[in-house]
């Protein structure tokens, strides 16, 4: 060690590689044969998007209950901010993409627009209109969007990776 900094090879690897390596370790320990069907990138996506979904709900609460914004506006602002964070974290840590960010951001924008219209406004707002509490509506919409967004991110947006 020099200057209090460890000299192990851990410092030579980037954060995305270390994140992926940890996801591989966890996947190997999954029970019931799940290790054969769960990709490390799926686990990483679940962790990152679970975190950003929490941010989404926190912002939704702030905008709806704190500021009194209408549900569609509160959903929209919280969604855009949380999904921006999701893109950055998934690109850097989970899919470890080094492709040009511009085309990926364009594809991501199209994907979140489709996702937003179908699941957030469609499912989320409809469930709220039918009387379901807005947090529960957002959670139900979130389950639908998770399957869609992982698929799009893995096989369309970040297809340049080997995950």
């Amino acid at each position: 060690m020099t200057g209090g900094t460890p000299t192990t090879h851990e410092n030579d690897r980037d954060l995305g590689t270390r994140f992926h390596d940890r996801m591989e370790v966890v996947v190997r320990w999954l029970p019931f044969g799940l290790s054969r069907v769960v990709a490390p990138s799926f686990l990483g996506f679940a962790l990152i998007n679970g975190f950003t979904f929490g941010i989404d709900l926190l912002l939704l609460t702030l905008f709806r209950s704190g500021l009194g914004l209408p549900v569609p506006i509160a959903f929209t602002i919280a969604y855009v901010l949380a999904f921006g964070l999701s893109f950055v974290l998934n690109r850097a840590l989970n899919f470890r993409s080094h492709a040009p960010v511009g085309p990926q951001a364009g594809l991501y924008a199209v994907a979140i627009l489709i996702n937003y219209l179908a699941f957030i406004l469609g499912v989320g707002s409809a469930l709220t209109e039918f009387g379901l509490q807005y947090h529960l509506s957002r959670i139900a919409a979130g389950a639908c969007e998770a399957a869609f967004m992982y698929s799009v991110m893995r096989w369309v947006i970040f297809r340049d990776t080997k995950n």
Side-chain angles (χ1 to χ4, degrees):
M1 283 182 41
T2 57
T5 304
T7 57
T8 64
H9 66 39
E10 187 78 8
N11 286 335
D12 297 334
R13 297 181 316 154
D14 67 26
L15 190 57
T17 300
R18 292 191 314 238
F19 180 83
H20 182 77
D21 290 348
R22 284 174 178 79
M23 295 305 101
E24 284 183 332
V25 168
V26 172
V27 165
R28 280 196 297 267
W29 284 91
L30 291 175
F32 313 115
L34 290 172
S35 61
R36 291 188 301 273
V37 295
V38 173
S41 64
F42 181 77
L43 178 61
F45 173 86
L47 289 174
I48 289 169
N49 284 58
F51 169 72
T52 59
F53 188 69
I55 298 295
D56 189 342
L57 288 176
L58 180 69
L59 292 171
L60 174 59
T61 301
L62 171 70
F63 297 140
R64 176 67 181 142
S65 296
L67 300 177
L69 296 177
V71 169
I73 293 171
F75 272 10
T76 302
I77 296 170
Y79 176 81
V80 168
L81 293 173
F83 264 79
L85 179 60
S86 171
F87 175 79
V88 170
L89 293 176
N90 271 295
R91 177 178 158 79
L93 299 178
N94 194 37
F95 294 102
R96 299 171 292 147
S97 179
H98 298 290
V101 72
Q104 288 179 337
L107 289 170
Y108 190 72
V110 170
I112 65 168
L113 178 62
I114 292 167
N115 185 57
Y116 172 77
L117 294 173
F119 302 116
I120 306 309
L121 284 186
V123 173
S125 292
L127 290 174
T128 301
E129 286 298 315
F130 290 136
L132 191 62
Q133 197 269 346
Y134 72 91
H135 284 111
L136 297 176
S137 297
R138 183 61 185 92
I139 291 168
C144 299
E145 78 178 273
F148 172 75
M149 287 306 297
Y150 175 72
S151 299
V152 169
M153 290 174 89
R154 180 169 181 185
W155 291 295
V156 178
I157 298 168
F158 300 120
R159 66 183 173 269
D160 68 310
T161 64
K162 295 176 180 75
N163 296 318

